[in-house]
Amino acid sequence: LAEKVAHFVQKPILSLEHKLFPDGESYIRVEGDVKGEDVVVIQGLHPPQDKHLTELLLIADLLRDLGAEKVRAVIPYMAYARQDRRFREGEVVSIITVLKMLKAVGIDEAYTVNIHSPWVLENAPLKVVNMDASGLLAVSLSQLVSEKPLVLSPGKKGLEMASATASVLEADYGAVVSRRDTVTGEVSVELDADVSGRDVVLVDDVVSTGGTMARCVEIVKGRGAGKVLVACVHGLFIGDAAEKIQAAGASMIVATDTVPNPYAFTSVAGLIASQLT
Amino acid sequence: LAEKVAHFVQKPILSLEHKLFPDGESYIRVEGDVKGEDVVVIQGLHPPQDKHLTELLLIADLLRDLGAEKVRAVIPYMAYARQDRRFREGEVVSIITVLKMLKAVGIDEAYTVNIHSPWVLENAPLKVVNMDASGLLAVSLSQLVSEKPLVLSPGKKGLEMASATASVLEADYGAVVSRRDTVTGEVSVELDADVSGRDVVLVDDVVSTGGTMARCVEIVKGRGAGKVLVACVHGLFIGDAAEKIQAAGASMIVATDTVPNPYAFTSVAGLIASQLT
């Protein structure tokens, strides 16, 4: 991703020596002169989140120490963005702590893609530009679906993304409202649209363990849907998430490259590059 | 360890709810009122270092946010302390970045035990008290060795610790100078003392992968040593480190509880408590 972005912005890419010591500590070394430079670090915070966060903090602090004039961080996937408020008394608001860390090592500005909680950025301790890759994803989907499909989003939160995707595909959209039983963990799904005989595109911002998505695929297939395509911006695919989704009946999985994953059929490099110039 | 320290300082211990989300992110919640309190957090930075570091940062930031007046961190094992200077151009001085993070979340003071590089604390961004547990370890060793043994340290850096240990045991001491070939990784050992028929105590501040220590045990056993006891403050015991050391001929392994490990025969709780009052 860094190489693609560097190509788009026509800037040199700096080598970074990185290794792990046998005890698991990260070693970072910059190979080149960064004195007085405007340096952009591209480091996602996908799993293992804490290791990637420490690496990013070490890199940024090092660049500052080596005399970089400006350090900007591109964080294609932002970790800890779900814990964005104090849901229960005494809880940590993790995303604020993470943003505070980024600022503490001298990061001037950060860029991220489809952050889970864009509203936290309004009061963030540093400027964070949030980019939307749903249009990009929709365009790549338009090459994969033959007829106008029905676009569905698992949960109400994804409705906006379903709407944006449907707009590009000139298709209808709706939400599959999923509920997770807090005791049994069982995911139940409500669906009003008639999916019988129709191709369905299920879109969401992130696929993590894939439980909800797999259940949604199962439901729409059970109601007679044709081909079911699963699309997301951030493809974390924890454990056997992709296998679960495929086993549920999805004919294809599509994601972007905000997180390294085997289903990254479209790149956010151009989107990122357009913000850096 | 926290429970023992709380007992020694006669202060209540506060419950912390901690869990991992399926994607690997940490969740932290404080159960109780910390407003206006002087709170001590006990969190080691042993492996997985980056996860423990993130947890500590989240906890401290949360305590500050919940109104704690003072936040002190006890870090029995300090990670990233070996990367304490720029050995090669462009390298990160990781320990400084870590200390900077601790300060950024509002930690007023930190306490650690036998940090690898005590000299970095002189110019640290926050006050860090470094405690020496070698005396404590020596006292527990004195109950385990029947005759006056020969105390040896792998490498010159541990000579001071060997000397302190020997002083408590009223024994002789020396260094086993070990060298790791940078190409083959082979560890060679030089030893001047006559170990034939003598019990040997091998002491070091930290046992990590155990490679050097196992080689030292092998050498002294090969030269006719009697019982060989391995002692360290920080028992990381990465992978099969303990098994390697035992297979090399060590009859016993002794460590403190700065890192949770099955060989923690002595606790640093009292040492820590003595600094907190």
Side-chain angles (χ1 to χ4, degrees), chain A residues 23 25-30 49-51 61 65 80 82 86 88-92 97 100-101, chain B residues 23 25 27-30 49-51 61 65 80 82 86 88-92 97 100 105:
Chain A
D23 62 2
E25 291 185 0
S26 285
Y27 168 92
I28 304 283
R29 185 172 159 262
V30 164
Q49 297 90 342
D50 298 344
K51 175 144 287 303
D61 198 31
D65 196 31
Y80 287 103
R82 280 170 316 168
R86 189 157 288 146
R88 287 174 68 202
E89 206 181 327
E91 275 185 355
V92 67
T97 306
K100 208 178 278 184
M101 292 302 98
Chain B
D23 61 2
E25 291 184 2
Y27 169 91
I28 303 282
R29 186 172 157 261
V30 164
Q49 297 90 341
D50 298 343
K51 176 144 285 306
D61 199 32
D65 196 31
Y80 287 104
R82 280 170 314 169
R86 189 157 288 146
R88 287 175 66 202
E89 206 182 329
E91 274 185 354
V92 67
T97 306
K100 209 178 275 185
V105 289

Side-chain angles (χ1 to χ4, degrees), chain B residues 19-96:
Chain B
K19 63 181 181 189
L20 282 184
F21 288 108
D23 61 2
E25 291 184 2
S26 285
Y27 169 91
I28 303 282
R29 186 172 157 261
V30 164
E31 294 172 337
D33 189 8
V34 297
K35 207 163 181 135
E37 300 283 353
D38 173 5
V39 186
V40 174
V41 184
I42 304 195
Q43 173 67 61
L45 295 183
H46 48 277
Q49 297 90 341
D50 298 343
K51 176 144 285 306
H52 288 145
L53 176 60
T54 304
E55 280 170 9
L56 176 56
L57 297 173
L58 289 172
I59 293 167
D61 199 32
L62 172 59
L63 290 169
R64 277 293 186 196
D65 196 31
L66 294 174
E69 192 182 308
K70 193 174 176 183
V71 175
R72 293 186 283 170
V74 174
I75 303 165
Y77 175 75
M78 183 66 84
Y80 287 104
R82 280 170 314 169
Q83 195 66 30
D84 55 7
R85 71 190 82 173
R86 189 157 288 146
F87 300 94
R88 287 175 66 202
E89 206 182 329
E91 274 185 354
V92 67
V93 186
S94 313
I95 183 65
I96 297 296

Side-chain angles (χ1 to χ4, degrees), chain B residues 206-219:
Chain B
V206 54
V207 170
S208 179
T209 60
T212 303
M213 191 56 99
R215 187 85 183 98
C216 288
V217 173
E218 211 172 76
I219 289 282

Side-chain angles (χ1 to χ4, degrees), chain A residues 83-94:
Chain A
Q83 195 67 30
D84 56 5
R85 71 190 84 176
R86 189 157 288 146
F87 299 96
R88 287 174 68 202
E89 206 181 327
E91 275 185 355
V92 67
V93 186
S94 315

